[in-house]
Amino acid sequence: MHNPSAQFAEIILPLPLEGYFTYLIPEEMQERIDPGMRVVVQFGPKKFYSGIVRRLVEAPPEGVQPKWIEYLLDEKAVVPPSNFQLWEWIALYYHCSMGEVLKAARPSGLKLESETRVTFNDAYEPSAGKEPTPRERLLLDYLRAKKSCTVFELSSALLKKGTLQVLKELLGKGAARVDEEIRETYKPKTETIVKLGKAMVSEEKLMRTLDLLTKIPKQREMLHLFLQENESLEALHEKAIPKKALLMKSGSTVAVLNALIKKDIFELDELAIERIGSSERATRELFPLLPAQEKALAEIRSAFRSNGVTLLHGVTSSGKTEIFIQLIQEQLLAGKQVLYLLPEIGLTTHMINRLLEVFGTRVGVYHSRFSDAERVEIWNKVLDFQPENHLPTHQLIIGTRSALFLPFTALGLIVVDEEHENSYKQQDPAPRYHARDSAVVLGNMLKIPVLLGTATPSVESYYNALHGRYGLVELNERYSQIEMPEIVTVDLKQAWKRKSMRGMLTPELYEEIRQALTNKEQVILFQNRRGFAPFIECKACGWIPKCINCDVSLTFHKNTQRLTCHYCGYSTRYPGSCPSCQSAEINNKGFGTEKIEEELTLLFPEASIERLDLDVTRSKKGFQNILHKFDRGDTDILVGTQMITKGLDFEHVRVVGILNADNLLNFPDFRSHERSFQLMTQVSGRAGRRNKRGKVIIQTAQPDHSIIARVVNNDYKGMYQQQIEERNFFNYPPFCRMIRINLKHKDIYELERIAGECATALRERFGKRVQGPVFPAINRIKLQYIQVMWLKLERSISVTSAKRQMQEMLDYVRSKDNNKSIQIQVDVDPF
């Protein structure tokens, strides 16, 4: 920790540059500074960044002329030492800089940099005793005039040292705010409340007001309702009633309330609401486990003693979550923290509700759809966790992959649910880490157990379990002996040939849906394409609209009448006629969830139909609202993409339809068959989960395909054996390590030339282990052409040494005068 003789600090800066940066510690900071604290430093002639102190040292590296640290932002460390150990492993293994790991790990709300924009808060009013100082007033006047500016502009304009310190004070007082990018349409959760107006200064004034409202009965009734509890004037001014509740109780309208506000009788305020409920939330006892679950739980505990990591392979609806809850409860009672990782933001809503029933306000949630302010709040609560305080706190954190970076100080267990999901792999930007594998490493570093759970393990995890690297526990029966769903295949080719299709439904699936609706049962339909049609085509000349930035056709979204690129977001209006030949005959090709929803409305007009895909769940509540309606039984048919395959549990779903299995099977990837099995098995598991056997219909043009046969027979081990033999023969993971090298350039000819040079240089060292360069299926995205090379390394080779040599060769090629414009991205263990 603190080194009193240290005069220098090694700082991690949020930049894609290797190594640490050494700065001088001012004398006034030397007694206060510690590793894990944030500091503001100058980097380059005009840039300021908030970095993290990695360590304190007594001397700088040879030849380095350190600058001074400008400002110390914290009074205590915001990053504990165990986090640095994980960060350094991620940087080394996933071939990126510590600065890139810092950017991924730290909420934006914990940064203060020269590019950070600061905005004056128009609602700011200084409280008594906290009036701004002269320097603060100077800064506020500048901010008020500019409305918004960067930290660097602020420092330059005032030409005063210590501007950052003054700014930090103003941020704390609420006089200014740091602008942040709020993802999608999410806003912090607040509730509008009604309070007694400040003009109501005495009881006499209140009585006179009631008398004056005698001729306006609706307004008088609302005010009387607010006052009815015979409270003192002081208590009335402290009182607040939710706006919705007041309107509902009074049976009145918003116009009546607005009239009272206009007369200064009432005023409105916004009250922040706890996202996870209040401390008074009632919780339930743990459900007793069935014998099969008890056996699995005992085996997990035993496996933890001999293996730090254990894989729980339990069929869908086998009660894995209740086993997780038992293990979590043990850790919480022992005063430990627990991290519960989920692959998708959407899944957190469903899982939060289940865990809240048991653990109440000890549950915290952390993912990217929350604002920076909320993520900083969770970060601080995790950091400040003290089990001896016995106060309601976020002891159990549910989150997506970024939750792995939270500053745990007493972590006792990590649960990785749906461990097979490729959403755990970060694609862009760096670090391109895998949260499941990083969680395993973190567990090993902290010497705590890690539990991986899924109904369809990844081939790598199952291989590790079979070969003793992980413990293995299997749960092969559904909860309460519920039967596995009946799965049947239907030949799409024959149905089209016989002209018996009902829209996108075969006769068999149509009839099952009709019977389910008659019996007041629910239906889930899975199609892994959103939008109305994957592309449109002119019947006369064959014109197909393409993205102007990417080498892909545009997807038609009928609701918005727009053609959209799902890679870069480019969008244009649907053309009334072909711009090439002016023909009005434009056909939709293929089908997505939007088209299915429209056709179902025509086929089953009495049914309530909802769609669950990215287009309708962009807001934070979109996903939650749709699932809540389906869970209540308000929705009869739910149409969705992969979102509906992941761990959802509904009581009345009897029929599941997979509308086109061939889209999954024919994807050009060595994992496509594994993923197809996982997706189809997971979505099949949504059928008949409680009191009645469900039915699954798979529509496919390849009913005899081996993977579909494995899904029908629920034969995971057969699928695994088939895949492991193929991968062994063709040398794919888990029998080798793979590194993907993406090269990007705006000029396709320059890209080919430089990629060829890179391949030649790499082959001089790695020989046949280098494959490519080749153009991927989509060879241009966001105006950049792409070529890909692969490096296959034997397990016996030191991956650290190989990556170092690979980087030296890539740097050598890129350093040539004509090659500096090439972009090179390295992705270790790509999914």
Side-chain angles (χ1 to χ4, degrees), residues 306-324:
S306 53
N307 286 281
V309 184
T310 296
L311 173 65
L312 173 59
H313 176 204
V315 297
T316 56
S317 197
S318 57
K320 295 186 292 294
T321 302
E322 289 302 319
I323 295 175
F324 297 156

Side-chain angles (χ1 to χ4, degrees), residues 320-336:
K320 295 186 292 294
T321 302
E322 289 302 319
I323 295 175
F324 297 156
I325 286 172
Q326 293 278 347
L327 292 166
I328 290 168
Q329 177 80 318
E330 292 171 9
Q331 294 296 324
L332 301 191
L333 291 175
K336 297 290 186 179

Side-chain angles (χ1 to χ4, degrees), residues 92 97 281 368 391 432 442 548 596 600 633 645 655 675:
L92 181 65
S97 69
R281 184 185 180 101
S368 61
L391 295 173
R432 297 173 181 85
L442 178 61
I548 61 172
I596 296 163
L600 289 170
T645 71
V655 177
R675 288 185 178 156

